[in-house]
């Protein structure tokens, strides 16, 4: 409730074809966040690992070079500015490198641009029985497994996000 009035929460989920060019994908994500905001969304979910095409279908050592540390991550910083500008919540998925390990992580950015914290995905599908195509997912090759660690993020809008 805000001044005795309820506030509507509108969630938008974005999905787009990624390229192998980070700047192109970030521009697309930002454009779609702005479109979603223009249609009334105040929590905007960008697809998982949107910075580059989903690389977990090939076993290549060079893919580890895509990981970046959480602190100072350029995509998170850009989305913090966008969230603050538009007044929206943006969970930001990214390939994280930390403590000699790699994680499929999400930074939760509040509507004022505040980084509320980090969540590391704990469910890692792997193998040909998991895939919807002939190409197996190889997520366990790239991401360190995290013991179930659900987190509750409280943000400015009425409500919470549980990951």
């Amino acid at each position: 409730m805000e001044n005795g009035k309820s506030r509507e929460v509108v969630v938008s989920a974005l999905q787009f074809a990624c390229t192998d060019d980070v700047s192109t994908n970030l521009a697309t994500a930002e454009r779609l966040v702005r479109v979603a905001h223009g249609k009334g969304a105040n929590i905007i979910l960008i697809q998982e690992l949107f910075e580059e095409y989903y690389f977990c279908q090939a076993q290549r050592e060079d893919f580890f070079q895509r990981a970046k540390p959480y602190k100072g991550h350029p995509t998170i910083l850009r989305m913090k500015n966008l969230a603050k500008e538009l007044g929206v919540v943006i969970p930001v998925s990214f390939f994280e490198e930390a403590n000699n390990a790699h994680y499929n992580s999400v930074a939760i950015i509040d509507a004022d641009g505040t980084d509320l914290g980090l969540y590391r995905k704990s469910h890692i599908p792997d193998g040909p029985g998991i895939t919807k195509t002939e190409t197996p997912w190889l997520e366990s090759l790239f991401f360190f497994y995290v013991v179930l660690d659900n987190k509750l993020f409280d943000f400015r809008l009425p409500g919470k996000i549980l990951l």
Side-chain angles (χ1 to χ4, degrees), residues 117-135:
L118 178 70
Y119 172 78
R120 291 178 173 147
K121 181 179 175 183
S122 58
H123 176 255
I124 307 297
D126 195 18
I130 304 298
T131 182
K132 297 177 186 172
T133 67
E134 294 299 316
T135 307

Side-chain angles (χ1 to χ4, degrees), residues 12-16 28-29 32-34 36 44-48:
S12 177
L14 307 181
Q15 186 82 26
F16 58 92
T28 300
L32 293 174
V33 166
R34 290 180 184 282
I44 303 171
L45 309 169
I46 307 170
Q47 71 202 45
E48 182 180 22

Side-chain angles (χ1 to χ4, degrees), residues 20-82:
D20 204 27
D21 181 65
V22 175
S23 56
T24 297
N25 296 328
L26 289 178
T28 300
E30 184 171 328
R31 179 179 56 78
L32 293 174
V33 166
R34 290 180 184 282
V35 168
H37 172 258
K39 293 182 177 185
N42 45 24
I43 300 176
I44 303 171
L45 309 169
I46 307 170
Q47 71 202 45
E48 182 180 22
L49 301 172
F50 65 93
E51 291 178 286
E52 299 178 76
Y53 72 89
Y54 192 74
F55 57 89
C56 296
Q57 293 182 335
Q59 190 170 344
R60 290 185 26 202
E61 189 76 23
D62 62 311
F63 286 156
F64 288 104
Q65 301 308 311
R66 298 171 184 234
K68 295 181 183 69
Y70 170 48
K71 295 296 180 193
H73 193 291
T75 297
I76 296 170
L77 296 173
R78 181 170 175 172
M79 292 300 146
K80 285 175 67 173
N81 291 332
L82 183 61

